[in-house]
Every structure is written in C-alpha cells, then in structure tokens.
Amino acid sequence: MRDRFTCRMCGVMHADTSMLEADHIVPHKGNPKLFWDEKNLQCLCSDCHRGAKQRLDRAGEIHKRD
Ligand SMILES: [Zn+2]
C-alpha cells in the first residue's frame, strides 16, 4: 500500500495485490522491532520476491564451494 502497489525491484505496478508481497530487507529473525519496522519493508511482486531469494540461495551455494 505504502509503495503504491509498485514492485521495488522491477518497478511494475500490480493492481492485483495477491501478486505483491512484503519483503523484509533485513531478515527479522523473530525480532518484532525489525518485523514491524516499515523502513525495513519493501514491496515486491511475487516473481521478484522468489527470484531475489533464489539468487541469494545460489550466491550462498557458490560461496560455500569457494
Ligand atoms: Zn517485480
């Protein structure tokens, strides 16, 4: 809502809010202060959300092999 239904990553506006997810920039790890901090939230569409997390996972794998 705050981000006007626009994905922060690809900049596409989604009128269908079921396509949008709130992403925590810093993982909250159960910390309610981080969980509810709106400065720590960004709006991503589900495609970007999935893609971003997959890229992080892959980067982690590469790092582990290093
Ligand atoms: Zn997107």
Side-chain angles (χ1 to χ4, degrees):
M1 193 84 89
R2 187 201 55 185
D3 288 341
R4 296 179 190 181
F5 310 108
T6 303
C7 171
R8 283 282 184 89
M9 203 167 281
C10 65
V12 171
M13 192 173 136
H14 297 276
D16 180 1
T17 51
S18 69
M19 278 295 293
L20 290 167
E21 297 176 22
D23 182 53
H24 285 91
I25 298 162
V26 178
H28 57 83
K29 294 175 183 165
N31 180 340
K33 207 174 157 221
L34 277 178
F35 188 88
W36 294 110
D37 185 356
E38 58 174 65
K39 289 191 290 298
N40 192 34
L41 287 171
Q42 61 182 347
C43 182
L44 295 181
C45 69
S46 33
D47 283 350
C48 287
H49 197 206
R50 248 196 322 271
K53 297 303 171 190
Q54 273 168 9
R55 264 199 303 281
L56 281 178
D57 287 350
R58 269 203 293 276
E61 277 171 35
I62 290 162
H63 196 71
K64 261 180 258 165
R65 267 187 239 121
D66 192 17

Short mmCIF file of all heavy atoms in Angstrom, two decimals:
data_model
loop_
_atom_site.label_atom_id
_atom_site.label_comp_id
_atom_site.label_asym_id
_atom_site.label_seq_id
_atom_site.Cartn_x
_atom_site.Cartn_y
_atom_site.Cartn_z
N MET A 1 0.85 -1.21 0.00
CA MET A 1 0.00 0.00 0.00
C MET A 1 0.88 1.25 0.00
O MET A 1 0.74 2.13 -0.86
CB MET A 1 -0.87 0.00 1.27
CG MET A 1 -1.99 1.01 1.20
SD MET A 1 -3.43 0.42 0.35
CE MET A 1 -4.31 -0.35 1.72
N ARG A 2 1.84 1.31 0.93
CA ARG A 2 2.71 2.47 1.01
C ARG A 2 3.49 2.66 -0.28
O ARG A 2 3.75 3.78 -0.71
CB ARG A 2 3.68 2.28 2.18
CG ARG A 2 4.52 3.50 2.47
CD ARG A 2 5.77 3.12 3.25
NE ARG A 2 6.51 2.09 2.54
CZ ARG A 2 7.59 1.50 3.01
NH1 ARG A 2 8.02 1.76 4.21
NH2 ARG A 2 8.23 0.58 2.32
N ASP A 3 3.87 1.56 -0.92
CA ASP A 3 4.65 1.64 -2.15
C ASP A 3 3.76 1.74 -3.39
O ASP A 3 4.22 1.56 -4.51
CB ASP A 3 5.56 0.42 -2.27
CG ASP A 3 6.71 0.48 -1.27
OD1 ASP A 3 6.99 1.58 -0.77
OD2 ASP A 3 7.32 -0.56 -1.00
N ARG A 4 2.50 2.04 -3.19
CA ARG A 4 1.53 2.25 -4.28
C ARG A 4 1.46 1.06 -5.23
O ARG A 4 1.47 1.22 -6.44
CB ARG A 4 1.87 3.53 -5.05
CG ARG A 4 1.72 4.74 -4.16
CD ARG A 4 2.07 5.99 -4.90
NE ARG A 4 2.16 7.12 -3.97
CZ ARG A 4 2.43 8.35 -4.32
NH1 ARG A 4 2.63 8.63 -5.57
NH2 ARG A 4 2.49 9.31 -3.44
N PHE A 5 1.47 -0.13 -4.66
CA PHE A 5 1.30 -1.36 -5.43
C PHE A 5 2.39 -1.55 -6.48
O PHE A 5 2.21 -2.25 -7.46
CB PHE A 5 -0.09 -1.40 -6.12
CG PHE A 5 -1.21 -1.09 -5.18
CD1 PHE A 5 -1.88 0.11 -5.25
CD2 PHE A 5 -1.58 -2.01 -4.21
CE1 PHE A 5 -2.92 0.41 -4.37
CE2 PHE A 5 -2.61 -1.73 -3.32
CZ PHE A 5 -3.28 -0.51 -3.40
N THR A 6 3.52 -0.88 -6.27
CA THR A 6 4.59 -0.99 -7.25
C THR A 6 5.74 -1.81 -6.68
O THR A 6 6.19 -1.57 -5.56
CB THR A 6 5.10 0.42 -7.64
OG1 THR A 6 4.00 1.18 -8.12
CG2 THR A 6 6.17 0.33 -8.72
N CYS A 7 6.19 -2.76 -7.44
CA CYS A 7 7.31 -3.59 -7.03
C CYS A 7 8.58 -2.75 -6.98
O CYS A 7 8.90 -2.05 -7.93
CB CYS A 7 7.45 -4.76 -8.02
SG CYS A 7 8.95 -5.70 -7.75
N ARG A 8 9.28 -2.81 -5.86
CA ARG A 8 10.51 -2.04 -5.70
C ARG A 8 11.62 -2.53 -6.62
O ARG A 8 12.58 -1.83 -6.88
CB ARG A 8 11.00 -2.17 -4.25
CG ARG A 8 10.23 -1.31 -3.27
CD ARG A 8 10.69 0.13 -3.37
NE ARG A 8 10.03 0.94 -2.36
CZ ARG A 8 10.50 1.12 -1.13
NH1 ARG A 8 11.60 0.53 -0.76
NH2 ARG A 8 9.87 1.87 -0.29
N MET A 9 11.52 -3.76 -7.07
CA MET A 9 12.63 -4.32 -7.84
C MET A 9 12.44 -4.11 -9.34
O MET A 9 13.33 -3.61 -10.00
CB MET A 9 12.78 -5.80 -7.51
CG MET A 9 14.17 -6.33 -7.80
SD MET A 9 14.46 -7.96 -7.09
CE MET A 9 14.76 -7.53 -5.38
N CYS A 10 11.28 -4.47 -9.89
CA CYS A 10 11.11 -4.34 -11.34
C CYS A 10 10.31 -3.08 -11.70
O CYS A 10 10.22 -2.75 -12.87
CB CYS A 10 10.46 -5.59 -11.92
SG CYS A 10 8.78 -5.91 -11.38
N GLY A 11 9.73 -2.40 -10.71
CA GLY A 11 9.03 -1.15 -10.97
C GLY A 11 7.67 -1.32 -11.62
O GLY A 11 7.05 -0.34 -12.01
N VAL A 12 7.20 -2.56 -11.72
CA VAL A 12 5.90 -2.81 -12.32
C VAL A 12 4.81 -2.63 -11.26
O VAL A 12 4.95 -3.09 -10.13
CB VAL A 12 5.84 -4.24 -12.91
CG1 VAL A 12 4.42 -4.59 -13.35
CG2 VAL A 12 6.80 -4.36 -14.08
N MET A 13 3.75 -1.93 -11.64
CA MET A 13 2.64 -1.74 -10.72
C MET A 13 1.63 -2.87 -10.90
O MET A 13 1.26 -3.21 -12.02
CB MET A 13 1.96 -0.41 -11.04
CG MET A 13 0.98 0.03 -9.98
SD MET A 13 0.40 1.69 -10.33
CE MET A 13 -1.32 1.46 -10.00
N HIS A 14 1.26 -3.48 -9.80
CA HIS A 14 0.32 -4.59 -9.85
C HIS A 14 -0.98 -4.19 -9.16
O HIS A 14 -1.00 -3.98 -7.95
CB HIS A 14 0.91 -5.82 -9.15
CG HIS A 14 2.14 -6.35 -9.82
ND1 HIS A 14 2.10 -7.21 -10.89
CD2 HIS A 14 3.46 -6.14 -9.57
CE1 HIS A 14 3.34 -7.50 -11.26
NE2 HIS A 14 4.18 -6.87 -10.49
N ALA A 15 -2.04 -4.07 -9.94
CA ALA A 15 -3.34 -3.76 -9.34
C ALA A 15 -3.83 -4.94 -8.51
O ALA A 15 -4.56 -4.77 -7.53
CB ALA A 15 -4.35 -3.42 -10.44
N ASP A 16 -3.40 -6.14 -8.87
CA ASP A 16 -3.79 -7.35 -8.15
C ASP A 16 -2.84 -7.54 -6.96
O ASP A 16 -1.68 -7.93 -7.13
CB ASP A 16 -3.71 -8.54 -9.11
CG ASP A 16 -4.11 -9.84 -8.42
OD1 ASP A 16 -4.46 -9.81 -7.22
OD2 ASP A 16 -4.06 -10.88 -9.09
N THR A 17 -3.32 -7.23 -5.77
CA THR A 17 -2.44 -7.26 -4.60
C THR A 17 -2.01 -8.68 -4.24
O THR A 17 -1.07 -8.85 -3.47
CB THR A 17 -3.12 -6.61 -3.37
OG1 THR A 17 -4.40 -7.20 -3.21
CG2 THR A 17 -3.24 -5.12 -3.54
N SER A 18 -2.68 -9.68 -4.79
CA SER A 18 -2.25 -11.04 -4.50
C SER A 18 -0.90 -11.33 -5.16
O SER A 18 -0.23 -12.31 -4.85
CB SER A 18 -3.30 -12.05 -4.96
OG SER A 18 -3.38 -12.10 -6.36
N MET A 19 -0.51 -10.45 -6.11
CA MET A 19 0.79 -10.59 -6.77
C MET A 19 1.91 -9.91 -5.98
O MET A 19 3.07 -9.97 -6.34
CB MET A 19 0.74 -9.93 -8.16
CG MET A 19 0.14 -10.80 -9.25
SD MET A 19 1.15 -12.26 -9.55
CE MET A 19 2.64 -11.50 -10.25
N LEU A 20 1.53 -9.21 -4.90
CA LEU A 20 2.51 -8.43 -4.17
C LEU A 20 2.81 -9.03 -2.80
O LEU A 20 1.92 -9.56 -2.14
CB LEU A 20 2.01 -6.99 -4.00
CG LEU A 20 1.97 -6.17 -5.28
CD1 LEU A 20 1.18 -4.90 -5.06
CD2 LEU A 20 3.37 -5.83 -5.77
N GLU A 21 4.05 -8.93 -2.39
CA GLU A 21 4.44 -9.44 -1.08
C GLU A 21 5.28 -8.40 -0.37
O GLU A 21 6.00 -7.63 -0.99
CB GLU A 21 5.26 -10.73 -1.25
CG GLU A 21 4.46 -11.84 -1.90
CD GLU A 21 5.29 -13.08 -2.15
OE1 GLU A 21 6.32 -13.26 -1.49
OE2 GLU A 21 4.90 -13.85 -3.03
N ALA A 22 5.22 -8.41 0.95
CA ALA A 22 6.08 -7.54 1.74
C ALA A 22 7.36 -8.31 2.06
O ALA A 22 7.30 -9.43 2.56
CB ALA A 22 5.38 -7.13 3.03
N ASP A 23 8.47 -7.70 1.70
CA ASP A 23 9.76 -8.36 1.91
C ASP A 23 10.52 -7.63 3.02
O ASP A 23 10.54 -6.40 3.05
CB ASP A 23 10.55 -8.34 0.61
CG ASP A 23 11.89 -9.05 0.76
OD1 ASP A 23 11.90 -10.22 1.20
OD2 ASP A 23 12.92 -8.43 0.45
N HIS A 24 11.13 -8.35 3.91
CA HIS A 24 11.97 -7.74 4.93
C HIS A 24 13.38 -7.56 4.37
O HIS A 24 14.01 -8.53 3.98
CB HIS A 24 12.00 -8.60 6.19
CG HIS A 24 10.74 -8.51 6.99
ND1 HIS A 24 9.68 -9.36 6.81
CD2 HIS A 24 10.37 -7.63 7.95
CE1 HIS A 24 8.71 -9.02 7.63
NE2 HIS A 24 9.09 -7.98 8.34
N ILE A 25 13.83 -6.32 4.32
CA ILE A 25 15.16 -6.02 3.78
C ILE A 25 16.21 -6.66 4.67
O ILE A 25 17.09 -7.37 4.19
CB ILE A 25 15.36 -4.48 3.68
CG1 ILE A 25 14.32 -3.89 2.70
CG2 ILE A 25 16.77 -4.16 3.22
CD1 ILE A 25 14.14 -2.39 2.84
N VAL A 26 16.12 -6.43 5.97
CA VAL A 26 16.97 -7.12 6.93
C VAL A 26 16.14 -8.26 7.53
O VAL A 26 15.05 -8.01 8.03
CB VAL A 26 17.42 -6.16 8.06
CG1 VAL A 26 18.27 -6.89 9.10
CG2 VAL A 26 18.16 -4.97 7.48
N PRO A 27 16.62 -9.50 7.43
CA PRO A 27 15.84 -10.61 7.99
C PRO A 27 15.51 -10.37 9.45
O PRO A 27 16.39 -10.01 10.24
CB PRO A 27 16.78 -11.82 7.83
CG PRO A 27 17.73 -11.44 6.75
CD PRO A 27 17.89 -9.94 6.85
N HIS A 28 14.21 -10.50 9.81
CA HIS A 28 13.79 -10.11 11.16
C HIS A 28 14.14 -11.15 12.22
O HIS A 28 14.29 -10.82 13.39
CB HIS A 28 12.29 -9.79 11.18
CG HIS A 28 11.43 -10.92 10.72
ND1 HIS A 28 11.05 -11.95 11.55
CD2 HIS A 28 10.89 -11.18 9.50
CE1 HIS A 28 10.30 -12.78 10.85
NE2 HIS A 28 10.18 -12.35 9.61
N LYS A 29 14.29 -12.40 11.77
CA LYS A 29 14.67 -13.48 12.69
C LYS A 29 13.87 -13.46 13.98
O LYS A 29 14.41 -13.65 15.08
CB LYS A 29 16.18 -13.41 13.02
CG LYS A 29 17.05 -13.68 11.81
CD LYS A 29 18.53 -13.48 12.14
CE LYS A 29 19.37 -13.68 10.87
NZ LYS A 29 20.73 -13.19 11.02
N GLY A 30 12.58 -13.18 13.85
CA GLY A 30 11.70 -13.21 15.01
C GLY A 30 11.74 -11.95 15.87
O GLY A 30 11.02 -11.84 16.84
N ASN A 31 12.56 -10.97 15.50
CA ASN A 31 12.65 -9.71 16.23
C ASN A 31 11.47 -8.82 15.86
O ASN A 31 11.39 -8.35 14.73
CB ASN A 31 13.99 -9.04 15.89
CG ASN A 31 14.18 -7.71 16.61
OD1 ASN A 31 13.22 -7.09 17.07
ND2 ASN A 31 15.41 -7.28 16.69
N PRO A 32 10.52 -8.58 16.78
CA PRO A 32 9.31 -7.82 16.42
C PRO A 32 9.62 -6.39 16.01
O PRO A 32 8.90 -5.81 15.20
CB PRO A 32 8.45 -7.85 17.70
CG PRO A 32 9.31 -8.38 18.79
CD PRO A 32 10.52 -9.04 18.17
N LYS A 33 10.69 -5.82 16.53
CA LYS A 33 11.06 -4.45 16.16
C LYS A 33 11.39 -4.38 14.67
O LYS A 33 10.95 -3.48 13.96
CB LYS A 33 12.25 -3.99 17.01
CG LYS A 33 12.29 -2.49 17.19
CD LYS A 33 13.39 -2.07 18.15
CE LYS A 33 13.76 -0.63 17.88
NZ LYS A 33 15.20 -0.39 17.93
N LEU A 34 12.18 -5.34 14.18
CA LEU A 34 12.51 -5.38 12.76
C LEU A 34 11.30 -5.80 11.94
O LEU A 34 11.08 -5.33 10.84
CB LEU A 34 13.65 -6.38 12.52
CG LEU A 34 15.08 -5.88 12.73
CD1 LEU A 34 16.06 -7.02 12.49
CD2 LEU A 34 15.40 -4.72 11.81
N PHE A 35 10.50 -6.71 12.51
CA PHE A 35 9.34 -7.24 11.78
C PHE A 35 8.36 -6.13 11.44
O PHE A 35 7.82 -6.08 10.35
CB PHE A 35 8.65 -8.34 12.60
CG PHE A 35 7.57 -9.05 11.85
CD1 PHE A 35 7.88 -10.16 11.07
CD2 PHE A 35 6.26 -8.62 11.91
CE1 PHE A 35 6.89 -10.83 10.38
CE2 PHE A 35 5.26 -9.29 11.21
CZ PHE A 35 5.58 -10.40 10.45
N TRP A 36 8.11 -5.22 12.39
CA TRP A 36 7.10 -4.18 12.20
C TRP A 36 7.68 -2.87 11.70
O TRP A 36 6.95 -1.92 11.45
CB TRP A 36 6.34 -3.95 13.51
CG TRP A 36 5.53 -5.14 13.90
CD1 TRP A 36 5.77 -5.97 14.95
CD2 TRP A 36 4.37 -5.67 13.24
NE1 TRP A 36 4.83 -6.97 14.97
CE2 TRP A 36 3.97 -6.82 13.95
CE3 TRP A 36 3.64 -5.27 12.11
CZ2 TRP A 36 2.87 -7.58 13.57
CZ3 TRP A 36 2.54 -6.02 11.74
CH2 TRP A 36 2.17 -7.16 12.46
N ASP A 37 8.98 -2.75 11.57
CA ASP A 37 9.60 -1.50 11.13
C ASP A 37 9.34 -1.30 9.64
O ASP A 37 9.85 -2.05 8.80
CB ASP A 37 11.11 -1.57 11.41
CG ASP A 37 11.80 -0.26 11.10
OD1 ASP A 37 11.12 0.67 10.61
OD2 ASP A 37 13.01 -0.17 11.34
N GLU A 38 8.55 -0.29 9.30
CA GLU A 38 8.21 -0.15 7.88
C GLU A 38 9.39 0.31 7.04
O GLU A 38 9.40 0.13 5.83
CB GLU A 38 6.98 0.74 7.66
CG GLU A 38 7.05 2.15 8.20
CD GLU A 38 5.81 2.92 7.76
OE1 GLU A 38 4.69 2.59 8.16
OE2 GLU A 38 6.00 3.87 6.97
N LYS A 39 10.42 0.86 7.67
CA LYS A 39 11.64 1.18 6.92
C LYS A 39 12.36 -0.10 6.50
O LYS A 39 13.20 -0.09 5.61
CB LYS A 39 12.57 2.05 7.76
CG LYS A 39 12.06 3.47 7.95
CD LYS A 39 13.11 4.39 8.57
CE LYS A 39 13.40 4.06 10.03
NZ LYS A 39 12.23 4.20 10.92
N ASN A 40 12.03 -1.19 7.16
CA ASN A 40 12.65 -2.47 6.85
C ASN A 40 11.80 -3.29 5.88
O ASN A 40 12.14 -4.42 5.57
CB ASN A 40 12.90 -3.26 8.14
CG ASN A 40 13.80 -4.46 7.91
OD1 ASN A 40 14.70 -4.42 7.08
ND2 ASN A 40 13.54 -5.54 8.61
N LEU A 41 10.70 -2.70 5.40
CA LEU A 41 9.83 -3.43 4.49
C LEU A 41 9.91 -2.84 3.09
O LEU A 41 9.98 -1.63 2.91
CB LEU A 41 8.38 -3.36 4.97
CG LEU A 41 8.02 -4.19 6.19
CD1 LEU A 41 6.61 -3.82 6.66
CD2 LEU A 41 8.10 -5.68 5.89
N GLN A 42 9.90 -3.70 2.10
CA GLN A 42 9.76 -3.24 0.73
C GLN A 42 8.72 -4.11 0.04
O GLN A 42 8.54 -5.27 0.38
CB GLN A 42 11.10 -3.29 -0.01
CG GLN A 42 11.69 -4.68 -0.11
CD GLN A 42 13.03 -4.67 -0.81
OE1 GLN A 42 13.41 -3.70 -1.42
NE2 GLN A 42 13.75 -5.78 -0.70
N CYS A 43 8.07 -3.48 -0.94
CA CYS A 43 7.03 -4.17 -1.67
C CYS A 43 7.64 -4.82 -2.91
O CYS A 43 8.28 -4.16 -3.71
CB CYS A 43 5.97 -3.14 -2.07
SG CYS A 43 4.59 -3.84 -2.92
N LEU A 44 7.47 -6.12 -3.03
CA LEU A 44 7.97 -6.83 -4.20
C LEU A 44 6.84 -7.65 -4.80
O LEU A 44 5.98 -8.14 -4.06
CB LEU A 44 9.10 -7.79 -3.81
CG LEU A 44 10.41 -7.21 -3.29
CD1 LEU A 44 11.38 -8.33 -2.99
CD2 LEU A 44 11.03 -6.25 -4.27
N CYS A 45 6.84 -7.82 -6.13
CA CYS A 45 5.88 -8.74 -6.70
C CYS A 45 6.39 -10.16 -6.45
O CYS A 45 7.58 -10.37 -6.19
CB CYS A 45 5.66 -8.47 -8.20
SG CYS A 45 7.04 -8.86 -9.27
N SER A 46 5.49 -11.13 -6.52
CA SER A 46 5.91 -12.48 -6.11
C SER A 46 7.02 -13.02 -7.01
O SER A 46 7.87 -13.78 -6.54
CB SER A 46 4.72 -13.43 -6.05
OG SER A 46 3.76 -13.12 -7.00
N ASP A 47 7.04 -12.63 -8.28
CA ASP A 47 8.12 -13.09 -9.17
C ASP A 47 9.48 -12.60 -8.70
O ASP A 47 10.43 -13.37 -8.58
CB ASP A 47 7.89 -12.58 -10.60
CG ASP A 47 6.83 -13.38 -11.33
OD1 ASP A 47 6.41 -14.44 -10.79
OD2 ASP A 47 6.42 -12.95 -12.41
N CYS A 48 9.56 -11.30 -8.38
CA CYS A 48 10.83 -10.73 -7.94
C CYS A 48 11.22 -11.28 -6.57
O CYS A 48 12.38 -11.53 -6.31
CB CYS A 48 10.75 -9.21 -7.89
SG CYS A 48 10.75 -8.45 -9.51
N HIS A 49 10.22 -11.44 -5.71
CA HIS A 49 10.48 -11.96 -4.37
C HIS A 49 11.12 -13.34 -4.49
O HIS A 49 12.16 -13.60 -3.89
CB HIS A 49 9.15 -12.04 -3.61
CG HIS A 49 9.34 -12.17 -2.13
ND1 HIS A 49 8.41 -12.76 -1.32
CD2 HIS A 49 10.35 -11.77 -1.32
CE1 HIS A 49 8.85 -12.72 -0.06
NE2 HIS A 49 10.02 -12.12 -0.04
N ARG A 50 10.53 -14.20 -5.28
CA ARG A 50 11.08 -15.54 -5.49
C ARG A 50 12.46 -15.46 -6.11
O ARG A 50 13.40 -16.11 -5.68
CB ARG A 50 10.15 -16.35 -6.40
CG ARG A 50 9.46 -17.49 -5.71
CD ARG A 50 8.87 -18.49 -6.69
NE ARG A 50 8.29 -17.89 -7.88
CZ ARG A 50 7.03 -17.49 -7.99
NH1 ARG A 50 6.22 -17.61 -6.97
NH2 ARG A 50 6.57 -16.97 -9.09
N GLY A 51 12.58 -14.65 -7.17
CA GLY A 51 13.84 -14.52 -7.88
C GLY A 51 14.95 -14.02 -6.99
O GLY A 51 16.05 -14.56 -7.00
N ALA A 52 14.66 -13.02 -6.17
CA ALA A 52 15.68 -12.44 -5.30
C ALA A 52 16.15 -13.47 -4.29
O ALA A 52 17.34 -13.62 -4.04
CB ALA A 52 15.11 -11.22 -4.57
N LYS A 53 15.20 -14.22 -3.72
CA LYS A 53 15.59 -15.20 -2.72
C LYS A 53 16.38 -16.34 -3.37
O LYS A 53 17.32 -16.85 -2.79
CB LYS A 53 14.34 -15.76 -2.02
CG LYS A 53 13.55 -14.74 -1.25
CD LYS A 53 14.41 -14.02 -0.20
CE LYS A 53 13.64 -12.84 0.39
NZ LYS A 53 14.47 -11.97 1.21
N GLN A 54 16.01 -16.69 -4.59
CA GLN A 54 16.74 -17.77 -5.27
C GLN A 54 18.16 -17.33 -5.58
O GLN A 54 19.09 -18.10 -5.44
CB GLN A 54 16.02 -18.17 -6.56
CG GLN A 54 14.96 -19.24 -6.30
CD GLN A 54 14.05 -19.43 -7.50
OE1 GLN A 54 14.31 -18.89 -8.58
NE2 GLN A 54 12.99 -20.19 -7.32
N ARG A 55 18.30 -16.06 -5.99
CA ARG A 55 19.65 -15.56 -6.28
C ARG A 55 20.50 -15.60 -5.02
O ARG A 55 21.67 -15.97 -5.06
CB ARG A 55 19.58 -14.14 -6.83
CG ARG A 55 19.61 -14.10 -8.34
CD ARG A 55 20.00 -12.73 -8.86
NE ARG A 55 19.11 -11.67 -8.38
CZ ARG A 55 17.91 -11.44 -8.89
NH1 ARG A 55 17.46 -12.16 -9.89
NH2 ARG A 55 17.16 -10.48 -8.42
N LEU A 56 19.90 -15.21 -3.89
CA LEU A 56 20.64 -15.24 -2.63
C LEU A 56 21.05 -16.67 -2.30
O LEU A 56 22.17 -16.91 -1.87
CB LEU A 56 19.78 -14.67 -1.50
CG LEU A 56 19.68 -13.14 -1.44
CD1 LEU A 56 18.76 -12.73 -0.30
CD2 LEU A 56 21.04 -12.52 -1.25
N ASP A 57 20.13 -17.61 -2.51
CA ASP A 57 20.44 -19.01 -2.23
C ASP A 57 21.60 -19.48 -3.09
O ASP A 57 22.51 -20.13 -2.61
CB ASP A 57 19.21 -19.90 -2.50
CG ASP A 57 18.15 -19.70 -1.43
OD1 ASP A 57 18.46 -19.05 -0.42
OD2 ASP A 57 17.03 -20.18 -1.62
N ARG A 58 21.54 -19.15 -4.38
CA ARG A 58 22.60 -19.58 -5.28
C ARG A 58 23.94 -18.95 -4.88
O ARG A 58 24.97 -19.61 -4.88
CB ARG A 58 22.25 -19.21 -6.72
CG ARG A 58 21.49 -20.32 -7.43
CD ARG A 58 21.65 -20.21 -8.94
NE ARG A 58 21.01 -19.00 -9.46
CZ ARG A 58 19.71 -18.92 -9.75
NH1 ARG A 58 18.94 -19.96 -9.60
NH2 ARG A 58 19.19 -17.82 -10.22
N ALA A 59 23.92 -17.66 -4.55
CA ALA A 59 25.14 -16.98 -4.13
C ALA A 59 25.72 -17.67 -2.91
O ALA A 59 26.93 -17.85 -2.80
CB ALA A 59 24.85 -15.51 -3.83
N GLY A 60 24.84 -18.09 -2.01
CA GLY A 60 25.28 -18.80 -0.81
C GLY A 60 25.97 -20.10 -1.16
O GLY A 60 26.99 -20.45 -0.58
N GLU A 61 25.40 -20.82 -2.15
CA GLU A 61 25.99 -22.09 -2.57
C GLU A 61 27.38 -21.88 -3.16
O GLU A 61 28.31 -22.61 -2.84
CB GLU A 61 25.09 -22.78 -3.60
CG GLU A 61 23.95 -23.55 -2.97
CD GLU A 61 22.97 -24.01 -4.03
OE1 GLU A 61 23.41 -24.34 -5.14
OE2 GLU A 61 21.76 -24.02 -3.73
N ILE A 62 27.49 -20.87 -4.03
CA ILE A 62 28.78 -20.59 -4.64
C ILE A 62 29.81 -20.27 -3.57
O ILE A 62 30.92 -20.76 -3.58
CB ILE A 62 28.66 -19.41 -5.65
CG1 ILE A 62 27.86 -19.86 -6.87
CG2 ILE A 62 30.03 -18.90 -6.07
CD1 ILE A 62 27.31 -18.72 -7.71
N HIS A 63 29.35 -19.47 -2.59
CA HIS A 63 30.26 -19.08 -1.51
C HIS A 63 30.74 -20.30 -0.72
O HIS A 63 31.90 -20.39 -0.36
CB HIS A 63 29.53 -18.10 -0.58
CG HIS A 63 30.47 -17.36 0.32
ND1 HIS A 63 31.33 -16.39 -0.13
CD2 HIS A 63 30.72 -17.47 1.64
CE1 HIS A 63 32.04 -15.93 0.87
NE2 HIS A 63 31.70 -16.58 1.97
N LYS A 64 29.80 -21.24 -0.50
CA LYS A 64 30.15 -22.42 0.28
C LYS A 64 31.22 -23.25 -0.45
O LYS A 64 32.11 -23.80 0.17
CB LYS A 64 28.91 -23.28 0.50
CG LYS A 64 28.27 -23.07 1.89
CD LYS A 64 27.04 -23.94 2.06
CE LYS A 64 25.78 -23.12 1.87
NZ LYS A 64 24.58 -23.93 1.67
N ARG A 65 31.08 -23.32 -1.79
CA ARG A 65 32.02 -24.14 -2.56
C ARG A 65 33.40 -23.48 -2.62
O ARG A 65 34.39 -24.11 -2.94
CB ARG A 65 31.49 -24.33 -3.99
CG ARG A 65 30.66 -25.62 -4.11
CD ARG A 65 30.30 -25.84 -5.57
NE ARG A 65 28.83 -25.89 -5.72
CZ ARG A 65 28.11 -25.08 -6.47
NH1 ARG A 65 28.70 -24.12 -7.17
NH2 ARG A 65 26.82 -25.19 -6.54
N ASP A 66 33.43 -22.17 -2.41
CA ASP A 66 34.66 -21.42 -2.58
C ASP A 66 35.73 -21.86 -1.56
O ASP A 66 35.47 -21.94 -0.39
CB ASP A 66 34.34 -19.92 -2.40
CG ASP A 66 35.51 -19.07 -2.86
OD1 ASP A 66 36.38 -19.61 -3.58
OD2 ASP A 66 35.56 -17.89 -2.49
ZN ZN B 1 8.72 -7.27 -9.52
#
